[in-house]
Amino acid sequence: MAQMTVETGGVHVRVPAKINLALAVGPMSDDGYHRLATVFQAVSLYDEVVAIWADAGEVSCSLTGEIIGVPADSSNLAVRAAELLRQRYGGPDRDELGVHLTIKKAIPVAGGMAGGSADAAGALLACAVLWDIDADPDDLRELGALLGSDVPFALTGMTAVGTDRGTHLAPALTRGTYHWVLATSDKGLSTPAVYQRFDELGLARTGLLEPDVALLTALASGDVEAVGAALSNDLQTAAISLRPSLGELLAAGKDAGALGAIVSGSGPTCAFLTRGENEAVDLSIALSHTNLATGIKRVAGPVPGARLLS
Ligand code: C5P
């Protein structure tokens, strides 16, 4: 399967964006990261990564799509992912391995939807196949956690509970498909800046960090209204404090009938849950009239994580 894909012009992988349906954040640990209890859902908005052989030792990338602010050099997270895979799993012939990655971006940059992590996850999978590397999904997730907190989930997808830095994953039972409207901004928010504001505001939870039981129960029974009511994000106040218009955007979505409205991760993308596809169309029209968002997208979840496209 891998060989066939290589011969037809590279290994092609697509990777979904994520929404955090719940995000409980504790204090910062000694490693500089906050401990989390989160519920991730992967949604049908994808970046694509194509890996083709390059000269021995070369690891490079080019970018297409929504790429403003994304580096195309060795600091690109996908390039770092390929390099890390080569070093750790390339074996004695690692110096012979080379790759050029073409990354087609649709996930908003610095948008709170793990676009950079998606590209890293895509690069890990595509290069593992291209180079015929013997690494199982757990190996890739472990490498992914070294690159970014959301990379293991981008490999896994569906709906999952994430703990520690968001890197320890357990599947969450869900029924049905959830229809979301995403309101995106062409001006990103820096994740470290949002966490810093979170700390400045003294918002870290002091008690036990646990995924929200009401949300998990609602997901397991497919009760979309209860899921909407249980959405929560501890970073939301910090994101709104840095970008006050997000508060207006969330209120506009609720006024227009969303069952739940939330900043996705560190923002500024906002996610609105609707009862079904028709309601999502109606809500996207209403939100596009507010001029509070640069882009409106309709997506559904859960969807699988990084996958080969044949
Ligand atoms: O892991 P990732 O590179 O996505 O994290 C970006 C930044 O977000 C980190 O450098 C850190 O400032 C912040 N962060 C955090 N706690 C987490 C995840 C991210 O403080 N659990």
Side-chain angles (χ1 to χ4, degrees), residues 3-308:
Q3 200 54 35
M4 199 174 72
T5 319
V6 173
E7 282 169 10
T8 51
V11 179
H12 195 164
V13 170
R14 78 173 188 180
V15 197
K18 62 83 183 166
I19 300 173
N20 299 86
L21 310 188
L23 179 52
V25 184
M28 189 163 74
S29 293
D30 293 343
D31 62 3
Y33 285 85
H34 295 73
R35 290 300 168 267
L36 310 175
T38 188
V39 179
F40 290 110
Q41 184 163 90
V43 295
S44 59
L45 173 64
Y46 301 96
D47 278 3
E48 294 180 23
V49 177
V50 180
I52 58 169
W53 277 98
D55 292 344
E58 180 186 329
V59 178
S60 59
C61 77
S62 49
L63 304 163
T64 65
E66 304 194 14
I67 60 169
I68 295 166
V70 184
D73 58 19
S74 58
S75 68
N76 185 288
L77 202 57
V79 172
R80 287 172 46 206
E83 192 59 61
L84 186 64
L85 183 74
R86 191 165 76 95
Q87 295 302 336
R88 293 286 177 94
Y89 287 93
D93 295 333
R94 63 172 65 87
D95 291 343
E96 302 301 313
L97 303 177
V99 67
H100 181 78
L101 302 166
T102 303
I103 304 168
K104 187 174 164 205
K105 291 204 63 66
I107 305 173
V109 177
M113 300 198 73
S117 294
D119 301 344
L124 287 175
L125 179 59
C127 291
V129 174
L130 184 78
W131 293 333
D132 200 15
I133 276 178
D134 186 19
D136 66 26
D138 281 341
D139 296 331
L140 294 186
R141 275 191 282 270
E142 209 177 302
L143 274 195
L146 300 174
L147 294 154
S149 307
D150 296 327
V151 180
F153 179 71
L155 287 162
T156 308
M158 305 309 286
T159 307
V161 173
T163 50
D164 196 37
R165 289 190 291 127
T167 44
H168 285 198
L169 299 172
L173 194 64
T174 67
R175 281 168 82 103
T177 298
Y178 296 84
H179 295 271
W180 300 92
V181 176
L182 304 176
T184 62
S185 167
D186 57 8
K187 267 180 51 210
L189 272 176
S190 144
T191 302
V194 174
Y195 273 101
Q196 192 185 331
R197 178 58 63 94
F198 175 83
D199 290 334
E200 287 162 4
L201 294 172
L203 295 174
R205 289 187 191 225
T206 47
L208 196 62
L209 279 176
E210 282 185 326
D212 186 78
V213 175
L215 175 66
L216 293 177
T217 307
L219 285 166
S221 58
D223 182 343
V224 65
E225 222 162 277
V227 170
L231 299 175
S232 68
N233 179 359
D234 285 359
L235 292 181
Q236 185 159 300
T237 303
I240 293 174
S241 144
L242 291 172
R243 183 78 58 83
S245 62
L246 295 180
E248 288 171 62
L249 178 57
L250 293 172
K254 280 187 203 151
D255 287 349
L259 298 177
I262 199 166
V263 170
S264 175
S266 56
T269 304
C270 289
F272 302 89
L273 182 62
T274 61
R275 188 172 299 283
E277 230 172 332
N278 293 339
E279 290 82 355
V281 172
D282 292 345
L283 183 65
S284 40
I285 293 167
L287 284 175
S288 63
H289 289 147
T290 65
N291 290 327
L292 289 165
T294 327
I296 305 287
K297 297 175 198 291
R298 288 191 304 278
V299 298
V303 299
R307 287 288 177 278
L308 281 177

